[in-house]
Amino acid sequence: MMQIEIFDEHAAEYDEWYDEHQAAYNSEILALRSLIPSAGIGLEVGAGTGRFTLPLGIRIGVEPARAMAERARARGVEIIYALAEALPFRDGAFDFVLMVTTICFLKDPLSAIQEAKRVLKPGGALIIGMIDRDSPAGRDYEMKKKTSKFYRYARFYSAREALSWLEDLDFCNILARQAIFKNAKIDAAEPFSEGHGRGAFLALSARKRSPSPEE
């Protein structure tokens, strides 16, 4: 619960990061938007202050930190207080689910991804935005964890770890796009590229497999 307390106490400081690093934020938006389905009902899990929710066409978010959630609500997001590992929705309720810099703060990311899969319709998309620990800039994030009140309690994962989770949970049509190739202090939004390993920010998309005709 320490992570939730940190975000409750410092929600304003967290929110200000996006204003101070507008180019990096826009780079992340561009990479994620390229993977968001053009239609359908979406959910953001770990919506935070709503910086990604509405810009990516999502109106419903789940967030456990109340101070963060209030900021998202002020931006027009319908917020539900809940944990990623126990989503209060029926099976197959959404066409796509978004999780941005969420898995690094979870005790059991695999359980959260399983929950996201449960609430997806067959053929629905899970989109994950994360810091790739194995990228050059991602290794810098890892080294600076002790000086960050937010990332001090985070556990960064590699692209290969996240991809293995998606494969183990039988997702299909997996795509990987990367952005932010130096650090967050860039002057203009950078175009994303396919793959992983070079960009600090990794955007993954995977589809929930539809049942075969025989099932």
Side-chain angles (χ1 to χ4, degrees):
M1 299 298 287
M2 180 61 73
Q3 293 96 324
I4 295 176
E5 293 172 5
I6 291 295
F7 285 111
D8 265 331
E9 293 174 8
H10 302 283
E13 183 178 342
Y14 172 90
D15 207 28
E16 288 166 3
W17 185 94
Y18 294 98
D19 295 323
E20 296 169 358
H21 300 82
Q22 190 73 37
Y25 169 49
N26 288 337
S27 298
E28 295 172 356
I29 288 284
L30 288 172
L32 292 166
R33 184 176 288 145
S34 72
L35 298 172
I36 296 287
S38 58
I41 300 173
L43 168 72
E44 183 174 12
V45 175
T49 59
R51 288 284 186 165
F52 293 93
T53 322
L54 293 180
L56 293 174
I58 302 171
R59 303 202 64 85
I60 305 171
V62 164
E63 173 56 46
R66 291 185 177 271
M68 301 276 278
E70 289 306 316
R71 287 177 172 266
R73 184 173 284 119
R75 289 191 164 98
V77 181
E78 180 185 340
I79 286 288
I80 297 169
Y81 298 112
L83 298 175
E85 300 88 344
L87 298 175
F89 305 105
R90 60 178 173 80
D91 295 1
F94 297 96
D95 296 286
F96 61 98
V97 174
L98 174 69
M99 302 172 74
V100 185
T101 57
T102 298
I103 62 172
C104 62
F105 293 108
L106 301 176
K107 289 185 178 179
D108 189 353
L110 192 60
S111 175
I113 294 173
Q114 285 179 310
E115 266 294 88
K117 181 181 178 183
R118 181 185 65 78
V119 303
L120 279 173
K121 296 177 181 178
L126 171 62
I127 301 97
I128 295 175
M130 58 180 279
I131 293 171
D132 180 1
R133 185 190 62 208
D134 285 354
S135 68
R139 288 192 287 271
D140 288 342
Y141 273 98
E142 184 72 31
M143 291 174 61
K144 296 174 181 177
K145 275 174 54 173
K146 292 182 180 179
T147 61
S148 168
K149 61 172 60 75
F150 299 110
Y151 287 130
R152 183 177 303 163
Y153 302 100
R155 178 179 177 183
F156 298 133
Y157 296 94
S158 69
R160 295 186 185 282
E161 287 174 296
L163 289 168
S164 71
W165 295 334
L166 296 173
E167 291 167 357
D168 289 346
L169 291 173
D170 198 33
F171 280 91
C172 61
N173 299 343
I174 300 173
L175 300 173
R177 291 176 182 165
Q178 56 190 328
I180 309 179
F181 299 96
K182 294 181 181 179
N183 57 54
K185 295 180 180 179
I186 54 178
D187 297 325
E190 297 176 341
F192 60 85
S193 69
E194 301 292 329
H196 58 83
R198 296 187 298 110
F201 185 77
L202 176 66
L204 298 173
S205 172
R207 294 278 178 170
K208 179 177 178 178
R209 199 179 298 275
S210 297
S212 65
E214 293 79 15
E215 293 182 27

